[in-house]
Amino acid sequence: MGASAETQERGWRNSAATIVRNAIESGGQDYWRRSDFPQLPPGAVSQALSRLAREAFIERASKGIYYHARPTAFGKSRPSPTAIQSLSGAGKKVFPAGVHAANLLGFTTQTAPHGEYATTAGSLPKTLTGKRARVYTRRPPGWNELSEAEAATLDFLRRRARTSELPPHETIERLLTLLGDQAMYERLARAALCEPPRVRVMLGAIGQELHVNPKTLQQLRDSLNPVSRFDFGALAGLRHAREWQAKA
């Protein structure tokens, strides 16, 4: 290769490195691959991504896949469920869970330092979620029909609202506001038939307070063992909790 060709190639590499770094910086947190830069020579992009990983500017998540974190008060940010879902393969729906779900719904300002995710699949690649992330697998298939916020609401109820940092009465008020959308409530009620009974009773108490369709409430009630009693956690103050088998 002649001197001019070498100079030109070096210029491409330097230009590609600058373009790649600037794009990642302006893009915030996200996954990045060589295919994200179709206007640049593939080899130059691969070299740029590898160099940025060596400099710890990005993390190598898997072969050819890199993740750019951003600093938070609790350490580095973790990938969003949407980002993981886009790379984890067909049929692997990914949703926020735990503190991550409560944060999405506005019940806390905290973030999970290593990420918390729920999925209807049997597993998620640790190379994408991070080795220290908490992943809750095999959620009911009905979750696949829900939005991220709706699935987060079911996860929040599974935890008896204990991931909320709001006072109990404010937690209840916010939950009633979120579930005031009748269509959303109906979707959650259908999905809840495959949820643990504690989710159904809390959703029933919420629905009765919101005056939802009586047939929907009856369907939830018919799915329960009438002699069982349930811990409502932070939602024990729901107006109709006792009518929905809350523990005294």
Side-chain angles (χ1 to χ4, degrees), residues 15-204:
S15 176
T18 300
I19 292 171
V20 169
R21 187 182 187 100
N22 289 343
I24 292 174
E25 279 185 327
S26 62
Q29 67 176 91
D30 207 349
Y31 283 108
W32 296 87
R33 295 165 289 188
R34 189 173 67 181
S35 58
D36 292 320
F37 303 92
Q39 77 279 21
L40 298 174
V45 175
S46 294
Q47 289 183 30
L49 291 171
S50 294
R51 187 169 72 182
L52 291 174
R54 290 194 299 271
E55 295 172 358
F57 180 72
I58 56 178
E59 302 173 29
R60 184 178 183 275
S62 188
K63 184 177 180 181
I65 300 174
Y66 298 86
Y67 175 69
H68 181 237
R70 57 181 174 80
T72 73
F74 303 95
K76 289 184 176 181
S77 63
R78 296 314 309 163
S80 69
T82 303
I84 294 172
Q85 187 172 303
S86 68
L87 295 170
S88 61
K92 291 193 175 183
K93 297 277 291 211
V94 185
F95 306 96
V99 172
H100 191 165
N103 180 283
L104 174 69
L105 298 172
F107 290 103
T108 181
T109 57
Q110 296 183 49
T111 58
H114 305 295
E116 285 188 81
Y117 310 100
T119 179
T120 55
S123 65
L124 287 177
K126 285 290 186 181
T127 53
L128 299 181
T129 62
K131 293 181 180 180
R132 299 177 66 183
R134 291 185 177 181
V135 179
Y136 307 93
T137 60
R138 303 187 189 283
R139 288 293 194 251
W143 280 45
N144 289 332
E145 307 303 318
L146 303 177
S147 69
E148 194 172 83
E150 289 166 350
T153 302
L154 287 182
D155 184 89
F156 187 71
L157 292 176
R158 278 182 175 235
R159 298 166 194 276
R160 302 178 179 90
R162 286 173 176 153
T163 46
S164 175
E165 65 180 5
L166 302 177
H169 72 279
E170 290 184 23
T171 296
I172 290 172
E173 287 175 7
R174 178 157 187 80
L175 199 51
L176 290 171
T177 299
L178 289 172
L179 294 179
D181 182 325
Q182 295 291 304
M184 176 180 175
Y185 184 90
E186 291 290 336
R187 287 191 295 273
L188 289 178
R190 287 194 297 272
L193 295 176
C194 295
E195 288 292 303
R198 66 179 181 275
V199 174
R200 283 175 260 150
V201 293
M202 286 184 281
L203 199 57

Side-chain angles (χ1 to χ4, degrees), residues 205-219:
I206 291 167
Q208 187 166 340
E209 194 158 340
L210 291 172
H211 304 290
V212 302
N213 188 334
K215 290 183 179 180
T216 301
L217 293 181
Q218 191 59 51
Q219 191 174 27

